[in-house]
Amino acid sequence: MDEFSLYVLDITMNSVRAGAQNIAITLREEGEWLDFSVQDDGCGMTEEQVARLHNPFFTTRKTRNVGLGIPFLTMLAEMTGGNVKITSVHESVSAEHGTKTAARFGRKHIDFIPLGDLVSTVTTLIQGSPQVNFTYDHHTEKGSVHLSCAELKAVLGDDISLAEPEILAWIEGYLKEQYAELV
């Protein structure tokens, strides 16, 4: 993957597949670092599964025998002087289950890839899983971008899906306006 936004999509889709109802995506650019995290309330993973995540021949998916998202994310982070940390609590262990994937990247490093189209990534996630309460926060030294699906649903009510074309167009415009203010 040659854009960071594709890693955001890939890692977040793992949370969707884990049955998460609430997913928080956070990017924080501070100094030379970009900190990225995805935290969910999905089914979680066992300690054994977490230990095996960095193996490209391990996946919890039933449709294929490889899982390259975490190994590639780790490689990218480490190439830029950063790291990846994954913590998870399986639903069999606690009612407070879920997974947090956190990564740090040296954003000024020559190997750091462009951020890509984060707006399209967020709207694609919402379109594909409108029932999920995504929260998206991107903090930079110039300001922040924020979107909360729970807040939108509270205004729109239960009768209107966030996957409606007019709603997605509004979300896209809302995010683009916020990013334009950061320039």
Side-chain angles (χ1 to χ4, degrees):
M1 292 185 266
D2 57 358
E3 291 184 351
F4 187 78
S5 60
L6 298 175
Y7 287 93
V8 173
L9 180 65
D10 182 58
I11 299 305
T12 306
M13 285 305 300
N14 290 339
S15 295
V16 170
R17 283 188 289 277
Q21 293 302 304
N22 300 287
I23 302 173
I25 304 164
T26 306
L27 288 84
R28 183 175 305 280
E29 295 180 56
E30 199 168 344
E32 294 188 24
W33 297 103
L34 168 67
D35 292 307
F36 160 65
S37 68
V38 174
Q39 185 162 358
D40 69 50
D41 62 356
C43 64
M45 293 179 281
T46 65
E47 289 180 23
E48 177 192 16
Q49 287 173 318
V50 172
R52 296 178 63 199
L53 282 177
H54 296 283
N55 177 347
F57 298 104
F58 171 76
T59 183
T60 56
R61 285 184 176 180
K62 307 289 186 241
T63 56
R64 61 182 178 192
N65 295 326
V66 294
L68 298 175
I70 295 297
F72 281 163
L73 182 73
T74 301
M75 180 184 71
L76 176 63
E78 290 175 352
M79 284 174 29
T80 64
N83 57 58
V84 172
K85 181 178 181 184
I86 300 168
T87 55
S88 190
V89 176
H90 192 266
E91 63 189 348
S92 66
V93 175
S94 172
E96 300 293 321
H97 50 81
T99 301
K100 180 176 182 180
T101 301
R104 173 168 260 207
F105 304 88
R107 64 187 182 117
K108 300 195 186 225
H109 193 281
I110 193 168
D111 290 322
F112 184 69
I113 58 178
L115 288 179
D117 190 351
L118 291 163
V119 171
S120 290
T121 295
V122 173
T123 55
T124 297
L125 287 165
I126 294 168
Q127 181 180 21
S129 302
Q131 75 285 359
V132 174
N133 288 321
F134 292 101
T135 303
Y136 175 74
D137 289 292
H138 186 170
H139 305 282
T140 73
E141 293 166 349
K142 295 179 180 180
S144 296
V145 173
H146 171 77
L147 179 77
S148 167
C149 289
E151 292 170 5
L152 292 175
K153 290 174 185 177
V155 171
L156 295 171
D158 295 332
D159 295 338
I160 300 175
S161 169
L162 297 184
E164 291 291 327
E166 298 86 5
I167 303 300
L168 288 169
W170 183 88
I171 290 169
E172 179 181 20
Y174 179 66
L175 289 170
K176 285 181 177 180
E177 281 178 23
Q178 290 183 72
Y179 273 111
E181 292 177 13
L182 299 181
V183 177

